[in-house]
Amino acid sequence: MSAQSIEVKHVTKKYGKFKALDDVTFDVGKGKIYAVLGPNGAGKTTMFRCILGLLNFEGSILVDGRDTRKEGKWVRENIGYLPQHSAPYDDLSVEDNLKFYAGIKGVKPQRVLETLKDIKLVRFRDRKARALSGGMKQRLMLGISQLSDPPILILDEPTSQLDVQGQLRFRELLGELLGRGKSVIISTHLLREAHEIRLFKGNVLVINRGKLVGSGLVDDFMNKADLREHLLIDVGAYDAQNMLHAVEKAGFKDAEIHKGQIVVACEHGDKFELLKALDVAGFTPTNFRVDEPSLEVAFMKATEAP
Amino acid sequence: MAPRVLAIVTKEFKDSIRSRWLISFTVISFFLVIGLPFVVAYALGMMAPGIETLISGTTQVVFPFLPLIALPIGSAAIVGERDRHTMELLLAQPISRVNIFVGKFVGIFLAVATAILVGMGVAALIIMEVPTIQYFYVIGIAYVLTAAMLGLAFLISVVSKDRNMALGIALFFWFLFAVLIDMGFLSMIVTMAFDPVYMIPIVVANPLELVRQISTYALIMTPKMMANPISLGQLGLAMVKVFGASGILPFLYTSMTAWVLLPLIGSFVLFIRKDV
């Protein structure tokens, strides 16, 4: 039994002369969560397909010590995969979709009902997949990936179709999965989701143009890339200087006045604290917006030489 | 059959059997098989149709519909999954591509085979009361033609970029087999311009014509007819000249086997090797 869930060694995947993956090497520890960050087209999905043995590639990938090219079926039995652009069968009902995949995965029929309960779609079990909302479809897809209760989950942009409630529920689900000792890999092109992974003390793998350009704890990545958000608060009828003092007094030193707004650099989870502190100091903001740093900027910062 | 493959076979069977094309084919073939022999018998001044009328009526009129069913349904088998974004999830399951391919082929084949059995078989039962062994042979040939057309359809499905392209190519092949290289038309031209021997490659190039010839030589042509140049016709004479009277059927069977195996193996190899 390997100490790592997944070992990716010098993997290169070419489409003609184009290298979709270029000498990528990393390990995924058991029971850990990894965020694979990268802009669209960076090579995240290609890497997942290689791990699942769906593509030919150079190098080697071991899943729990087994070669993904030689034992692809075993590998796919132990990895629940949620593809980014995949969909359930529109002509089948929610339950029939689950039954079909249960048949292919060779799991017991009672898992279908359990999964329906897990994904909270029992009420919609007879509804055709084509009649489901985007969020419901995504829940169904998540259910399919977990039908066999696999030890590893690879989720490619899992929250792209989810509404706010769905995203909150997804965060709960991540906690549950990690609590049950699963290894989870999530790809995203949104920094917001990397922040979520941070809550679970997760790791990050940064891929850009087919190369692994950074890896480590999400915290370290965030610090290195200076991924603070900027809160832009309208001054309104208040005195701008006084309001700025209140901001600084609340502990937010990196703040300035710009075009009738107070611009404050803050961490993802600190925005509410700042707004509350301003309210207590007698400055109730009438309007504000949040500027998130782009992933491209983050990459540049995270990968530049020290 | 392994339970995992059975899941795919069952799904493909259910999906295909509900298809409007297949239901239409079943109804049309049923009425054609029931009605045609009587029309032919009436035209020939006979009181009741015999088995020969039923066989030739079925092979001449019902068989051309078979590629029209098998080609469009089969052509969506692989590319349809890609178009609907269901292929990647299917491939990511603990099942080999071999099993996915086999499951899809068997499922669709069984659906078309059921339609043939219901459409042609039940109609024959009504006409004949006790179906003869010859008619079971006709249904068997229909199954072989279906397998060949599905193999070709799967090849089209694997190489096509989308479902519309696949359907277009599939319909082109049906038009090619049923109309463009129809022997009635081509044999006239070839016989007039060239040696009738040149008609043999045209027969080999058209699986629809191959099954017609197989049913003719296996079921209708008696030794007495084989000795008569008039009943053999230009094509028959050419085949006797090249293969001998006893070599015609083995040649036709071999050609048809190639039609079943080559596209099927080609599509199988491409599907196995193709990236997601």
Side-chain angles (χ1 to χ4, degrees):
Chain A
M1 190 69 78
S2 171
Q4 302 292 342
S5 274
I6 301 171
E7 296 162 76
V8 176
K9 288 185 180 133
H10 304 291
V11 168
T12 296
K13 171 64 191 172
K14 290 179 193 165
Y15 291 102
K17 286 182 181 174
F18 172 71
K19 283 184 180 176
L21 289 177
D22 188 1
D23 198 24
V24 173
T25 296
F26 65 88
D27 291 338
V28 171
K30 281 189 176 160
K32 305 271 185 185
I33 183 164
Y34 286 73
V36 180
L37 288 177
N40 287 325
K44 305 185 293 286
T45 301
T46 304
M47 193 180 70
F48 294 157
R49 289 173 176 172
C50 288
I51 292 172
L52 287 156
L54 302 181
L55 298 176
N56 293 314
F57 57 88
E58 296 165 27
S60 77
I61 298 177
L62 301 179
V63 175
D64 212 3
R66 300 206 193 199
D67 191 327
T68 197
R69 278 182 297 208
K70 290 178 185 160
E71 296 180 78
K73 194 177 152 189
W74 185 92
V75 165
R76 292 191 292 276
E77 213 154 38
N78 285 273
I79 296 179
Y81 179 48
L82 173 64
Q84 182 186 0
H85 295 299
S86 204
Y89 288 104
D90 275 349
D91 296 340
L92 296 184
S93 68
V94 170
E95 187 170 6
D96 285 345
N97 264 290
L98 288 169
K99 278 183 179 168
F100 171 65
Y101 282 104
I104 290 185
K105 287 170 190 279
V107 300
K108 290 176 183 169
Q110 59 259 37
R111 268 297 294 159
V112 171
L113 185 59
E114 289 168 15
T115 306
L116 275 170
K117 286 177 186 164
D118 287 347
I119 57 177
K120 301 200 173 6
L121 285 178
V122 176
R123 267 196 318 134
F124 304 98
R125 63 199 293 174
D126 295 324
R127 187 175 285 189
K128 295 269 191 238
R130 77 160 70 88
L132 296 177
S133 68
M136 283 172 162
K137 271 189 190 174
Q138 195 75 341
R139 268 150 63 192
L140 174 57
M141 297 296 287
L142 271 167
I144 291 168
S145 69
Q146 292 171 59
L147 262 172
S148 60
D149 199 20
I152 304 167
L153 282 156
I154 295 179
L155 312 173
D156 197 355
E157 307 268 359
T159 57
S160 56
Q161 299 281 322
L162 296 181
D163 53 18
V164 177
Q165 267 195 330
Q167 290 183 16
L168 288 171
R169 167 77 193 121
F170 180 72
R171 196 194 294 175
E172 281 174 28
L173 178 72
L174 277 184
E176 285 168 27
L177 292 170
L178 292 169
R180 281 154 54 196
K182 310 275 183 198
S183 307
V184 183
I185 306 176
I186 295 176
S187 84
T188 179
H189 65 279
L190 301 172
L191 277 174
R192 179 165 32 90
E193 290 189 344
H195 285 290
E196 305 285 338
I197 307 295
R198 192 182 196 178
L199 299 175
F200 299 107
K201 302 200 183 307
N203 295 273
V204 68
L205 299 164
V206 187
I207 293 186
N208 200 15
R209 293 180 184 177
K211 291 194 175 195
L212 186 69
V213 293
S215 62
L217 288 169
V218 177
D219 263 339
D220 295 340
F221 171 74
M222 295 294 185
N223 291 336
K224 190 173 181 192
D226 184 20
L227 296 180
R228 289 178 301 171
E229 294 169 352
H230 287 88
L231 195 61
L232 287 77
I233 308 163
D234 283 355
V235 172
Y238 300 115
D239 179 78
Q241 280 299 335
N242 289 342
M243 201 167 176
L244 181 63
H245 286 313
V247 168
E248 287 170 346
K249 203 175 166 188
F252 296 87
K253 303 295 179 195
D254 195 352
E256 61 178 1
I257 301 166
H258 182 71
K259 292 184 180 174
Q261 289 179 316
I262 308 284
V263 182
V264 191
C266 58
E267 298 291 336
H268 179 68
D270 293 343
K271 295 186 292 286
F272 184 67
E273 287 301 316
L274 170 59
L275 293 171
K276 209 164 84 177
L278 279 174
D279 192 43
V280 169
F283 300 97
T284 307
T286 52
N287 196 17
F288 67 89
R289 69 182 172 90
V290 180
D291 263 6
E292 285 189 20
S294 76
L295 202 56
E296 285 73 16
V297 171
F299 287 139
M300 286 168 67
K301 287 184 177 173
T303 56
E304 66 193 15
Chain B
M1 194 175 284
R4 293 178 194 211
V5 186
L6 203 58
I8 294 182
V9 171
T10 309
K11 181 183 175 301
E12 291 299 328
F13 180 82
K14 283 182 183 171
D15 285 353
S16 304
I17 208 85
R18 285 193 295 244
S19 125
R20 284 178 197 150
W21 289 73
L22 207 58
I23 294 166
S24 307
F25 167 77
T26 311
V27 174
I28 289 169
S29 60
F30 176 82
F31 285 110
L32 283 176
V33 171
I34 279 205
L36 260 177
F38 289 98
V39 174
V40 175
Y42 180 78
L44 295 175
M46 290 157 35
M47 288 301 287
I51 182 67
E52 292 82 8
T53 336
L54 182 63
I55 290 169
S56 56
T58 304
T59 55
Q60 292 297 327
V61 182
V62 181
F63 274 21
F65 285 98
L66 272 174
L68 190 57
I69 298 307
L71 284 169
I73 290 181
S75 71
I78 310 291
V79 74
E81 294 266 5
R82 284 206 300 266
D83 268 12
R84 287 174 300 185
H85 302 292
T86 50
M87 181 57 92
E88 191 177 358
L89 186 61
L90 186 60
L91 291 174
Q93 304 308 315
I95 184 166
S96 67
R97 288 192 185 205
V98 177
N99 285 341
I100 291 175
F101 187 92
V102 170
K104 280 185 164 291
F105 187 86
V106 172
I108 297 173
F109 178 82
L110 287 177
V112 181
T114 305
I116 291 170
L117 198 64
V118 173
M120 289 164 59
V122 173
L125 268 179
I126 292 170
I127 294 174
M128 294 187 286
E129 289 176 3
V130 182
T132 62
I133 193 79
Q134 286 107 313
Y135 201 73
F136 283 115
Y137 189 89
V138 171
I139 290 179
I141 295 172
Y143 284 176
V144 174
L145 179 62
T146 300
M149 291 299 99
L150 281 182
L152 180 62
F154 270 55
L155 187 60
I156 293 167
S157 196
V158 173
V159 298
S160 295
K161 284 181 182 165
D162 57 53
R163 255 191 300 187
N164 290 337
M165 183 184 176
L167 183 63
I169 299 172
L171 291 176
F172 166 76
F173 270 102
W174 171 76
F175 188 71
L176 188 74
F177 297 145
V179 181
L180 281 185
I181 50 175
D182 174 68
M183 283 312 291
F185 172 65
L186 273 180
S187 64
M188 199 168 66
I189 297 172
V190 172
T191 313
M192 281 193 297
F194 308 104
D195 189 315
V197 169
Y198 289 114
M199 285 159 61
I200 296 172
I202 297 172
V203 172
V204 174
N206 187 350
L208 189 56
E209 191 54 43
L210 271 174
V211 293
R212 279 180 187 152
Q213 295 299 328
I214 288 173
S215 61
T216 303
Y217 284 95
L219 300 172
I220 296 175
M221 297 294 273
T222 58
K224 197 177 166 187
M225 290 165 87
M226 288 292 282
N228 182 355
I230 296 169
S231 39
L232 276 172
Q234 292 285 354
L235 175 64
L237 284 170
M239 287 200 287
V240 170
K241 185 178 159 189
V242 176
F243 307 109
S246 59
I248 293 176
L249 265 177
F251 166 73
L252 293 172
Y253 285 142
T254 309
S255 304
M256 200 58 212
T257 306
W259 262 107
V260 173
L261 292 181
L262 293 180
L264 194 60
I265 292 169
S267 55
F268 176 76
V269 170
L270 286 175
F271 179 68
I272 299 293
R273 289 187 177 176
K274 199 164 187 164
D275 279 343
V276 178

